Amino acid sequence: MTQPASPTQQDAPVTTAKTAPAVSGRRPLGLHLDVRNLSLLGVLAALIVVGGITKPDQFLATSNLQLVLTQASVIGVVTVGMTFVITSGGIDLSVGAIVALASVWATTVATQEYGFAGILFTAVIVGVGCGLVNGLLIAYGGMVPFIATLAMLAAARGLALQITDGKTQIVTVNSVLDLGIKDAYILGIPPLVLVFAAVTAVGWLVLNRTTFGRRTVAVGGNAEAARLAGIDVRRQRLYLYLLSGLCCGIAAFMLIVLAGSGQNTNGNLYELDAIAAAIIGGTLLSGGRGTIAGSVLGVLVFTTITNIFALNNLESAVQQIAKGAIIVAAVLIQHRTLRGGEA
């Protein structure tokens, strides 16, 4: 009489069948992500070469490189928050308007009376407050992210205009203005760049090394499956828009330091730049995958392009065309990568 197979003998084929596809499926994805980041580094290096050839004395000057990094820092902080939102399958069209509202609210005469702390606190709390409204409308109100954040865009821009009455609000707090001067640089690095580096590092750790990051990816990949797995999808989405608002508040304060003023036109088209940077960096617009490192490289690529065009006195229209071409190419590469991974 034949003896039944042992548990080890029964389980072995099953384990092998399940493990092999999983391992073979992960390697191409990791390879694609590495290739994408390396490609962006290559594009950035090529742009540096172009800038060095066309305007060597100006582009490669230390002051200009510091300027490029400083300008990238403001939109870069916004992009970190946007990366989380897009990874979850959402979108935030209101980031530029939130930056404008936070910057003008933080630079009113009444706010400036409280000094450095008052300006920073106001900028951050206004950003978080706007993110809270977005999150509640989307997560618990059932509104489509596109519509909810579009409404916030219009409302925040209108409120910013009403607060300023169309005028520029000059900052008179020296402790804030001092952060933008060269004497405040640390080892030749502007303070705003250090803030951007810190936000990037924290964002990378949260997205890649915490439960919060895994839940964000899960919600973006399949919200229903995430819900069945025990994730509170609505609460997670609320937290993500709060995070986006927080990043906008920080960016608003950085813009105040950089410009020395608050204007209702601040943050113009930041939403498009942030989305574009995240997409070319490898974050899927449909959700389920995001990369902070890629988003940062995307920001640096766009900022460098803008700087090169400005130094060469080229029309902004050509610059926008170049950005559009890069976005289209990035999306096409994403589709090709996904199809290759599924094959």
Side-chain angles (χ1 to χ4, degrees):
M1 185 173 181
T2 305
Q3 294 181 351
S6 65
T8 305
Q9 292 173 330
Q10 288 177 335
D11 293 343
V14 177
T15 303
T16 302
K18 288 183 179 179
T19 303
V23 173
S24 62
R26 286 176 184 173
R27 287 176 181 172
L29 180 58
L31 179 61
H32 288 149
L33 291 176
D34 291 340
V35 169
R36 183 182 292 107
N37 287 340
L38 288 175
S39 300
L40 285 174
L41 283 172
V43 171
L44 186 59
L47 288 173
I48 293 175
V49 171
V50 170
I53 293 175
T54 57
K55 292 289 182 179
D57 296 335
Q58 299 177 43
F59 180 79
L60 297 178
T62 301
S63 58
N64 184 64
L65 296 179
Q66 290 172 335
L67 175 63
V68 171
L69 290 176
T70 302
Q71 291 176 337
S73 297
V74 180
I75 184 62
V77 171
V78 175
T79 303
V80 170
M82 182 68 78
T83 300
F84 276 89
V85 172
I86 295 178
T87 301
S88 72
I91 198 74
D92 192 348
L93 301 179
S94 64
V95 291
I98 293 175
V99 169
L101 178 59
S103 68
V104 300
W105 207 323
T107 54
T108 60
V109 175
T111 302
Q112 293 193 50
E113 291 180 355
Y114 293 93
F116 184 99
I119 293 176
L120 176 59
F121 175 79
T122 303
V124 170
I125 204 66
V126 170
V128 172
C130 291
L132 176 63
V133 173
N134 281 337
L136 290 175
L137 290 176
I138 294 167
Y140 294 95
M143 291 187 67
V144 177
F146 182 91
I147 300 300
T149 57
L150 184 62
M152 176 58 73
L153 183 155
R157 282 289 178 193
L159 185 55
L161 179 60
Q162 185 177 30
I163 291 174
T164 61
D165 195 23
K167 301 176 182 178
T168 300
Q169 297 178 164
I170 304 300
V171 176
T172 58
V173 180
N174 292 329
S175 56
V176 173
L177 298 175
D178 289 344
L179 290 177
I181 64 177
K182 289 188 176 181
D183 291 341
Y185 289 8
I186 301 174
L187 299 177
I189 304 176
L192 299 187
V193 177
L194 296 177
V195 173
F196 175 38
V199 171
T200 299
V202 172
W204 186 90
L205 289 172
V206 171
L207 185 60
N208 296 282
R209 294 291 184 268
T210 67
T211 303
F212 183 87
R214 290 190 290 272
R215 288 175 177 172
T216 300
V217 174
V219 169
N222 190 322
E224 181 60 21
R227 185 187 67 80
L228 294 176
I231 297 175
D232 190 332
V233 174
R234 293 190 299 178
R235 185 172 61 185
Q236 184 70 17
R237 284 174 174 162
L238 174 62
Y239 288 162
L240 288 167
Y241 281 96
L242 284 172
L243 177 61
S244 180
L246 173 62
C247 289
C248 290
I250 296 173
F253 179 78
M254 295 169 69
L255 196 57
I256 291 170
V257 173
L258 187 61
S261 63
Q263 305 176 51
N264 66 286
T265 56
N266 282 344
N268 188 33
L269 297 181
Y270 272 20
E271 55 277 358
L272 299 182
D273 289 341
I275 293 171
I279 291 174
I280 72 167
T283 299
L284 284 182
L285 192 58
S286 57
R289 189 179 72 202
T291 163
I292 297 295
S295 295
V296 170
L297 289 174
V299 170
L300 292 176
V301 166
F302 279 137
T303 307
T304 304
I305 290 175
T306 301
N307 184 259
I308 292 174
F309 273 68
L311 291 178
N312 287 277
N313 296 319
L314 297 176
E315 296 181 2
S316 59
V318 180
Q319 174 185 327
Q320 297 302 324
I321 293 173
K323 285 185 177 181
I326 292 175
I327 295 171
V328 171
V331 173
L332 291 176
I333 291 174
Q334 277 191 359
H335 285 303
R336 184 174 180 181
T337 300
L338 288 175
R339 289 176 181 175
E342 293 173 355

